[in-house]
């Protein structure tokens, strides 16, 4: 009996050994799903990666060189293979090449072809008997190609067969954003870089960096050194619901020096991600008021807020020093961040102080602002009257001043959808967060829009119905992977074709009132970003949630290799 047991155990061992060593075909259907993946299943022809194969690239191009180095690192990470960097080597098995775009058929022109933003990111990946060839018009396209290759590399190159294929890909939207709130809780430069790496893996290209809040000022302003030094520190933090006012009594702080911000900008740019900095004004400013109480309607004193919520203390809209202060801050922000977009916040600015403040009321009179009894679609302001109140128009006046200030520096203003309330200034871009109404209204007014509706895009909310299965978060509704996946940013029932062209893209937001640690932030982000990135990258006709679920395990293997924390269930 014992012998029989030993023999069958031996057979089982042998069997599993043979099984584990079976050849397998790699899967090119990565996340986000490429636009076109052409294989010929009738032809069983494969390429196999081997130790020591070369990666060729144009050595004279610094970006191509860096992308080749990334690919070398990733191949080591995923497949454990050491590939060689062999610049300008036509015989290398992996080729990275920039190619010139062809003129449209029938048009022979000597003029260079102008590429759309999406075409700049276009790439092809071909696997043939010669090896793997990645081509693109611009380095950013090569970077996207290298990321796709990274995601379909065989874990076991001795067994993973790469069928011959031709992949052609480019994104749907030009703006594919992810926000991180580093003001409610502070995250290290090291973690911000990891967050950017994760974004790049998912094909995102805009890192919205929320830098200031009632609960902490995180951006160094050299002309106002106390702003970050004192404004970044709260004396304590609320434990549990804000209304209970139970605190930990532990001072909490942290801010980014301008040097660190520049380091982040460079790191992101090397991964083809633009950093959109946000200074949230004129609400969400209690940390600045703590340092400069003269900028508040009552004169203070004010504390850096130790709990969450919408604060009634905001910058005084009638004090000329407010605009001076804002121009100093936004001036330095523009010096540090080369982004074409600068986010001015503009959300949740209750007007109860402004209604009673002599300075605010005098300014309203001076500007001849009056309350109109109209409802502004998508532009109601929490804590104030709806629509076109004189106070909302005063906020628009401030926005307009800052918009001109930014425009003189070649930048466009982004604001949360409350900026619709008092009337939009000329080139303002609306970030629609309270549903899609604000975005639709802005697009109809021919303003550019970024869709970020909370019920589909706020990943501070739980991702599973059972709250007990996940870390404590903002808990009013669930934002599951399937919910995110179902979002269609062009709101076809509301926007006609041309109006839809104003939708620049989509963004997901990670607010951090309840998220204090990097691992928790990653858990909130993943795998929901894998769902959001298909909303951002793929055409609606390509999308299929059940198919996405089948493709997710391959990406999760990569998350494991990268040491990322993620939620292991999907709803
Ligand atoms: C926001 O969630 N208050 C923009
Ligand atoms: Zn005031």
């Amino acid at each position: 009996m014992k012998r029989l047991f030993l023999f069958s155990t031996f057979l089982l061992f042998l069997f599993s050994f043979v099984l584990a060593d079976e050849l397998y075909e790699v899967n090119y259907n990565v996340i986000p799903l490429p636009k076109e993946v052409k294989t010929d299943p009738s032809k069983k022809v494969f390429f196999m990666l081997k130790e020591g194969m070369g990666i060729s690239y144009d050595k004279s191009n610094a970006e191509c060189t860096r992308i080749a180095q990334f690919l070398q690192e990733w191949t080591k990470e995923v497949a454990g293979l050491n590939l060689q960097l062999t610049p300008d080597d036509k015989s290398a098995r992996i080729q990275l090449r920039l190619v010139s775009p062809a003129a449209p058929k029938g048009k022979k022109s000597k003029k260079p072809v102008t590429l759309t933003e999406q075409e700049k990111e276009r790439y092809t990946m071909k696997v043939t008997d010669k090896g793997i060839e990645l081509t693109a018009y611009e380095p950013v396209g090569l970077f996207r190609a290298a990321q796709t290759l990274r995601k379909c590399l065989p874990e076991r190159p001795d067994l993973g067969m790469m069928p011959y294929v031709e992949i052609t890909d480019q994104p749907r939207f030009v703006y594919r954003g992810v926000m991180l709130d580093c003001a409610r809780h502070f995250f290290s430069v090291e973690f911000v870089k990891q967050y950017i790496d994760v974004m790049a893996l998912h094909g995102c290209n805009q890192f919205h960096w929320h830098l200031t809040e009632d609960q902490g000022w995180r951006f160094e302003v050299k002309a106002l050194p106390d702003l970050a030094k004192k404004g970044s520190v709260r004396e304590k933090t609320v434990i549990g619901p804000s209304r209970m006012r139970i605190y930990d009594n532990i001072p909490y702080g942290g801010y980014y020096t301008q040097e660190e911000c520049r380091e982040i900008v460079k790191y992101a740019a090397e991964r083809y991600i633009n950093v959109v900095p946000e200074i949230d004004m004129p609400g969400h400013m209690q940390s600045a008021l703590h340092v400069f109480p003269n900028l508040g309607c009552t004169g203070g004193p004010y504390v850096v807020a130790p709990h969450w919520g919408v604060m009634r203390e905001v910058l005084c809209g009638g004090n000329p020093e407010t605009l001076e202060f804002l121009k100093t801050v936004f001036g330095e922000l523009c010096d540090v961040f080369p982004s074409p977009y600068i986010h001015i916040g503009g959300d949740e600015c209750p007007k109860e102080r402004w209604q009673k403040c002599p300075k605010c009321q005098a300014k309203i009179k001076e500007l001849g602002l009056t309350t109109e009894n109209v409802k502004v679609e998508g532009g109601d302001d929490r804590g104030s009257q709806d629509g076109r109140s004189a106070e909302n128009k005063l906020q628009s006046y401030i926005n307009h001043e800052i918009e001109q200030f930014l425009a003189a520096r070649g930048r466009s203003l982004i604001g949360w959808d409350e900026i619709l309330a008092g009337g939009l200034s000329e080139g303002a871009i609306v970030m629609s967060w309270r549903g899609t109404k604000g975005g639709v209204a802005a697009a109809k007014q021919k303003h550019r829009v970024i869709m970020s509706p909370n019920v589909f895009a706020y990943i501070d909310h739980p991702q599973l119905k059972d709250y007990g299965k996940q870390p404590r978060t903002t808990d009013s509704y669930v934002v599951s992977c399937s919910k995110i996946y179902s979002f269609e940013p062009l709101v076809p029932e509301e926007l006609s074709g041309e109006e839809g062209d104003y939708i620049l893209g989509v963004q997901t937001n990670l607010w951090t009132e309840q998220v204090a640690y990097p691992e928790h932030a990653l858990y909130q982000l993943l795998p929901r970003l894998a769902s959001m990135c298909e909303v951002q990258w793929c055409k609606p006709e390509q999308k299929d949630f059940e198919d996405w679920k089948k493709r997710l395990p391959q990406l999760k293997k990569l998350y494991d290799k990268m040491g990322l924390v993620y939620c292991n269930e999907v709803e």
Side-chain angles (χ1 to χ4, degrees):
M1 191 63 193
K2 195 171 165 196
R3 255 206 221 158
L4 189 67
F5 174 74
L6 278 177
F7 184 65
S8 51
T9 313
F10 173 71
L11 275 185
L12 208 67
F13 171 75
L14 206 65
F15 186 60
S16 60
F17 192 71
V18 170
L19 263 190
D21 258 4
E22 251 183 39
L23 290 165
Y24 66 94
E25 287 182 29
V26 306
N27 180 9
Y28 296 122
N29 293 319
V30 297
I31 293 176
L33 187 64
K35 201 165 171 225
E36 203 174 81
V37 178
K38 276 202 267 182
T39 51
D40 186 348
S42 68
K43 290 203 184 109
K44 291 284 170 201
V45 274
F46 305 98
F47 174 73
M48 307 240 343
L49 272 170
K50 295 210 172 63
E51 182 82 7
M53 282 180 170
I55 305 177
S56 174
Y57 54 95
D58 174 2
K59 193 171 58 180
S60 67
N61 184 316
E63 291 182 73
C64 292
T65 305
R66 192 166 43 237
I67 294 162
Q69 287 162 349
F70 282 142
L71 191 55
Q72 187 189 37
E73 274 170 36
W74 296 336
T75 324
K76 178 79 187 152
E77 179 184 60
V78 179
L81 272 188
N82 296 297
L83 300 185
Q84 308 294 316
L85 293 179
T86 55
D88 307 315
D89 172 9
K90 288 212 168 62
S91 67
R93 304 310 291 269
I94 298 161
Q95 297 280 334
L96 307 189
R97 281 197 304 115
L98 288 178
V99 293
S100 307
K105 277 203 185 94
K107 283 195 185 166
K108 275 202 184 135
S109 157
K110 293 228 164 69
K111 270 202 264 165
V113 179
T114 337
L115 297 173
T116 63
E117 289 305 308
Q118 283 94 337
E119 283 168 343
K120 287 180 188 165
E121 298 194 65
R122 187 183 170 93
Y123 68 87
T124 62
M125 174 176 137
K126 279 189 204 159
V127 178
T128 63
D129 57 336
K130 293 197 185 70
I132 305 169
E133 182 193 56
L134 310 180
T135 58
Y137 301 139
E138 304 230 339
V140 59
L142 276 188
F143 182 76
R144 304 279 174 243
Q147 289 281 9
T148 292
L149 176 55
R150 176 192 197 183
K151 284 179 267 191
C152 54
L153 282 170
E155 261 188 293
R156 288 275 310 262
D158 55 331
L159 302 174
M161 305 184 297
M162 303 185 77
Y164 294 179
V165 73
E166 181 166 350
I167 297 175
T168 311
D169 198 12
Q170 70 178 50
R172 180 183 183 198
F173 289 107
V174 295
Y175 186 110
R176 305 182 301 278
V178 182
M179 187 276 270
L180 180 63
D181 169 7
C182 289
R184 267 50 174 267
H185 282 101
F186 177 78
F187 292 88
S188 68
V189 168
E190 190 193 3
F191 178 68
V192 172
K193 287 182 179 172
Q194 187 182 30
Y195 200 81
I196 286 167
D197 280 332
V198 173
M199 285 180 58
L201 178 71
H202 293 82
C204 306
N205 67 349
Q206 304 291 332
F207 172 51
H208 171 175
W209 201 5
H210 188 76
L211 284 166
T212 63
E213 262 306 335
D214 298 301
Q215 295 82 9
W217 185 282
R218 313 267 174 240
F219 172 64
E220 178 191 30
V221 179
K222 288 195 193 280
L224 306 167
D226 278 353
L227 192 50
K229 272 200 196 108
K230 296 185 179 159
S232 63
V233 184
R234 57 178 179 259
E235 278 183 4
K236 55 189 179 180
T237 304
V238 74
I239 302 170
S242 281
R243 72 189 138 73
M244 300 191 66
R245 300 288 195 260
I246 301 171
Y247 300 95
D248 62 5
N249 297 320
I250 303 169
Y252 184 93
Y255 67 89
Y256 306 98
T257 63
Q258 292 196 356
E259 200 182 334
E260 287 171 327
C261 293
R262 288 196 166 96
E263 185 184 326
I264 294 286
V265 166
K266 180 168 178 290
Y267 189 87
E270 287 172 357
R271 286 147 187 85
Y272 300 92
I273 289 174
N274 173 56
V275 182
V276 183
E278 179 186 355
I279 300 290
D280 199 347
M281 66 93 186
H284 291 280
M285 270 279 169
Q286 209 170 292
S287 58
L289 291 178
H290 169 64
V291 186
F292 301 115
N294 56 311
L295 297 181
C297 291
T298 64
Y302 308 98
V303 295
V304 180
H307 46 254
W308 324 121
V310 177
M311 311 292 157
R312 65 180 171 173
E313 305 299 349
V314 302
L315 291 180
C316 174
N319 183 347
E321 288 171 52
T322 293
L323 272 176
E324 249 173 71
F325 165 79
L326 289 173
K327 287 179 183 174
T328 304
V329 170
F330 281 106
E332 291 200 22
L333 198 74
C334 286
D335 291 343
V336 172
F337 293 94
S339 171
Y341 315 114
I342 301 288
H343 205 306
I344 62 143
D347 58 323
E348 298 175 327
C349 178
K351 302 295 184 320
E352 93 189 58
R353 292 294 191 214
W354 288 14
Q355 281 160 352
K356 299 208 175 82
C357 168
K359 283 195 215 121
C360 287
Q361 290 306 315
K363 190 73 190 171
I364 283 173
K365 205 161 165 205
E366 179 200 316
L367 295 171
L369 307 177
T370 51
T371 293
E372 286 168 82
N373 204 8
V374 289
K375 177 146 175 66
V376 178
E377 201 54 62
D380 307 346
D381 191 2
R382 178 133 62 121
S384 178
Q385 317 96 307
D386 284 356
R388 294 253 143 89
S389 67
E391 286 76 18
N392 283 346
K393 287 182 185 173
L394 180 58
Q395 184 175 347
S396 284
Y397 160 77
I398 296 170
N399 292 346
H400 185 68
E401 289 287 308
I402 298 303
E403 198 215 343
Q404 288 193 328
F405 179 86
L406 295 175
R409 285 154 185 77
R411 320 304 179 89
S412 298
L413 170 156
I414 302 181
W416 298 108
D417 56 55
E418 284 92 335
I419 66 168
L420 277 152
L424 287 177
S425 46
E426 208 180 319
I429 302 173
V430 171
M431 190 168 268
S432 189
W433 72 278
R434 296 170 305 171
T436 52
K437 263 194 330 191
V440 168
K444 285 185 187 295
Q445 293 174 41
K446 301 195 186 309
H447 280 264
R448 288 172 291 169
V449 169
I450 297 151
M451 287 294 190
S452 193
N454 47 8
V455 292
F456 295 100
Y458 271 35
I459 54 171
D460 51 320
H461 285 258
Q463 50 196 314
L464 306 173
K465 281 187 213 85
D466 182 349
Y467 289 2
K469 279 187 182 170
Q470 53 210 310
R472 190 164 167 258
T473 48
T474 318
D475 58 6
S476 45
Y477 51 86
V478 176
V479 179
S480 62
C481 284
S482 57
K483 178 78 184 176
I484 294 171
Y485 205 84
S486 69
F487 180 51
E488 172 42 45
L490 292 194
V491 203
E493 62 280 12
E494 303 263 9
L495 292 174
S496 71
E498 196 187 302
E499 289 163 348
D501 293 345
Y502 287 95
I503 310 296
L504 281 183
V506 192
Q507 180 172 292
T508 186
N509 298 326
L510 181 48
W511 299 104
T512 60
E513 286 94 333
Q514 312 294 339
V515 181
Y517 302 101
E519 290 80 3
H520 187 181
L522 288 174
Y523 181 94
Q524 295 299 120
L525 184 67
L526 300 174
R528 286 188 283 192
L529 187 56
S531 174
M532 176 51 92
C533 78
E534 296 217 338
V535 179
Q536 297 173 327
W537 189 277
C538 302
K539 295 260 197 257
E541 57 274 18
Q542 272 186 292
K543 285 172 61 203
D544 175 342
F545 186 65
E546 291 307 312
D547 183 65
W548 174 87
K549 274 202 285 193
K550 289 191 199 124
R551 289 180 281 120
L552 186 60
Q554 182 164 323
L555 186 60
K556 290 208 292 200
K557 279 191 193 161
L558 195 47
Y559 291 168
D560 290 333
K561 292 209 186 259
M562 294 168 76
L564 299 171
V565 175
Y566 56 91
C567 175
N568 213 3
E569 277 182 57
V570 162
E571 283 178 358

